[in-house]
Amino acid sequence: MADVIEEIPLSSNTYQCPNCGAALKYKPGTISLHCDYCGTDTLIDAKVVEDVQELDFEQYSRDFETLNTQTTKVIGCRKCGAESTFEENLKSTDCPYCGMPLIESDIHEERLIKPSYLLPFKLSDKDINTYLSAWFKGLWFAPNELKKRALCSDRLEGVYVPCWTYDAQTESDYRGERGINYTRTVGSGKNRRTVTETRWSYCSGHVSLFFDDVMVPASKMISSVVMNKIENWDTMNMVEADNRFLSGFITEKYVINMQEGYNTAKSIMESDIDYAIRQDIGGDKQRINSKKTVFSDIKFKLILLPVYISSYTYKDKLYHFFVNGRTGRVSGDRPYSVAKITLAIIAGLILLALFIYFVNQNS
Ligand SMILES: [Zn+2]
Ligand SMILES: [Zn+2]
């Protein structure tokens, strides 16, 4: 029997089975680590999140190095450049984004902000295949070969995707114009008609808004568009980021840093503020001529979200599927079958020709 360990070390990224010593993996949908060799489950004494702690943005910007950061082993993909935090259990894995084998000599160390919370994987890869095949069945004009091939997707990888969330209190003073519509009759004789015009008046005011958890994906590989498509995230079920939940999965490194993420969050907040100002102006139309916003109490945190990624090449092009590891919601790029679309167009044209023929017959 291999070395038996009583305690699972928290500092290391490998967790060994207390029964047989094999490497343990987090078992989706549970709070246990699972041994594939002897079947033993080891409970993770995860801390339940009662009061979510947010980090202070100002303080972090000043003292980045000394605060909640850790030296992390990072492995990069030579082909697509995706970077993930290296985990001992994954020695022989392929890059989830392009399929290129990751090479251990490509590991380097970096100082990174520690994730505060994560949503553990809830669905297993078997569950995901069910969701993927349902999604494929619903695809119009997809090549048959694709449907067949995607169903036996052996290349399904669970990835924890880094995401920033930001809170802020905002106070905005604005100057603008309120437009009231009215109708007027113009022209004479045959050209007589009513037109709608707008009467504008100047106005100003104040809007205060509090933003809670504005989410900005920090991944280079998964765009925020895709992350929006596979929403929602049950963030109320987040747990403290414990390495044991990461065991057996890939954790992507954040490539959008905290400041860049904040700039994106700010532009999301700005458009909500504009909407609130327009509501405040009222009337039928609104113009915002100037606005001054003070952001205060800015808080942030780094969280990890569970996404299954499947990629494969079809006719020399790389396609990706992304599946929410909690809900099974799928989003993906997909090829179209030229043959199927051509047939559909021809069928449509024949119907149109027949229709025109009968209309002409009957008139
Ligand atoms: Zn075991
Ligand atoms: Zn890659």
Side-chain angles (χ1 to χ4, degrees):
M1 197 190 274
D3 330 69
V4 173
I5 48 155
E6 300 298 317
E7 293 260 309
I8 294 175
L10 244 178
S11 52
S12 152
N13 267 345
T14 341
Y15 303 105
Q16 286 171 287
C17 174
N19 188 36
C20 74
L24 294 173
K25 286 179 180 171
Y26 169 63
K27 188 178 175 184
T30 70
I31 47 160
S32 295
L33 290 166
H34 182 71
C35 176
D36 282 343
Y37 297 90
C38 74
T40 302
D41 282 341
T42 311
L43 211 63
I44 304 172
D45 48 345
K47 286 180 207 124
V48 178
V49 181
E50 275 159 8
D51 190 17
V52 173
Q53 298 290 313
E54 313 267 353
L55 303 166
D56 188 83
F57 187 78
E58 301 271 316
Q59 196 188 5
Y60 241 82
S61 310
R62 275 197 316 269
D63 316 317
F64 173 74
E65 284 297 326
T66 53
L67 285 161
N68 208 24
T69 56
Q70 63 187 359
T71 307
T72 316
K73 280 185 183 173
V74 173
I75 188 162
C77 169
R78 288 189 180 183
K79 195 172 165 196
C80 75
E83 288 189 305
S84 36
T85 57
F86 179 73
E87 218 231 312
E88 304 289 339
N89 276 1
L90 292 172
K91 260 177 196 156
S92 59
T93 203
D94 293 342
C95 170
Y97 298 100
C98 72
M100 182 85 171
L102 298 176
I103 304 158
E104 226 182 313
S105 60
D106 290 350
I107 299 172
H108 63 276
E109 285 194 336
E110 271 183 60
R111 196 137 190 95
L112 299 173
I113 293 181
K114 265 200 278 198
S116 304
Y117 304 98
L118 63 83
L119 260 180
F121 276 90
K122 193 174 182 183
L123 302 168
S124 70
D125 40 8
K126 284 188 198 73
D127 301 328
I128 295 303
N129 276 325
T130 317
Y131 284 100
L132 265 181
S133 52
W135 184 72
F136 271 108
K137 282 202 189 103
L139 284 187
W140 286 69
F141 300 126
N144 287 334
E145 194 194 336
L146 162 76
K147 294 196 182 189
K148 260 182 264 153
R149 191 168 346 170
L151 290 184
C152 49
S153 60
D154 45 345
R155 279 255 306 283
L156 188 67
E157 207 84 65
V159 178
Y160 279 104
V161 177
C163 239
W164 299 108
T165 74
Y166 298 88
D167 294 357
Q169 178 63 45
T170 66
E171 302 294 336
S172 312
D173 286 314
Y174 70 85
R175 286 178 181 284
E177 290 163 64
R178 182 190 299 119
I180 304 293
N181 290 345
Y182 62 95
T183 50
R184 198 160 65 87
T185 310
V186 293
S188 58
K190 244 191 157 183
N191 289 324
R192 217 177 133 85
R193 63 197 193 280
T194 33
V195 290
T196 302
E197 288 178 354
T198 307
R199 191 173 290 120
W200 292 95
S201 58
Y202 287 102
C203 60
S204 64
H206 181 92
V207 160
S208 64
L209 280 184
F210 175 71
F211 290 91
D212 186 30
D213 289 345
V214 174
M215 218 185 261
V216 180
S219 160
K220 184 170 81 173
M221 310 309 291
I222 303 186
S223 69
S224 48
V225 177
V226 170
M227 287 303 270
N228 286 339
K229 279 186 184 163
I230 60 171
E231 276 187 332
N232 288 335
W233 301 102
D234 50 335
T235 46
M236 60 286 203
N237 292 320
M238 282 195 305
V239 296
E240 284 193 19
D242 181 319
N243 282 341
R244 285 173 287 185
F245 286 107
L246 311 181
S247 192
F249 292 90
I250 288 172
T251 305
E252 199 190 323
K253 190 195 100 176
Y254 61 85
V255 285
I256 290 165
N257 68 33
M258 177 190 58
Q259 183 64 51
E260 291 164 338
Y262 177 57
N263 294 341
T264 307
K266 229 171 152 177
S267 64
I268 296 170
M269 295 179 200
E270 295 277 7
S271 70
D272 282 7
I273 292 169
D274 283 358
Y275 181 80
I277 290 176
R278 287 177 191 281
Q279 296 286 104
D280 200 55
I281 292 175
D284 299 310
K285 287 179 181 172
Q286 304 82 28
R287 283 177 185 151
I288 302 171
N289 297 334
S290 70
K291 131 186 108 154
K292 202 168 171 246
T293 302
V294 177
F295 292 81
S296 60
D297 269 336
I298 305 154
K299 299 270 175 16
F300 78 98
K301 59 186 185 296
L302 181 62
I303 60 170
L304 300 173
L305 299 173
V307 179
Y308 280 101
I309 298 171
S310 173
S311 66
Y312 71 94
T313 315
Y314 178 77
K315 292 194 174 160
D316 293 333
K317 195 178 176 301
L318 190 65
Y319 293 94
H320 285 112
F321 305 102
F322 304 94
V323 190
N324 185 317
R326 305 278 305 173
T327 63
R329 190 154 178 182
V330 185
S331 168
D333 342 310
R334 40 142 324 164
Y336 287 85
S337 159
V338 176
K340 283 190 190 176
I341 292 173
T342 312
L343 279 177
I345 292 173
I346 292 171
L349 287 175
I350 292 171
L351 282 176
L352 185 67
L354 284 173
F355 176 75
I356 292 169
Y357 174 78
F358 283 114
V359 168
N360 286 339
Q361 289 278 302
N362 295 332
S363 59

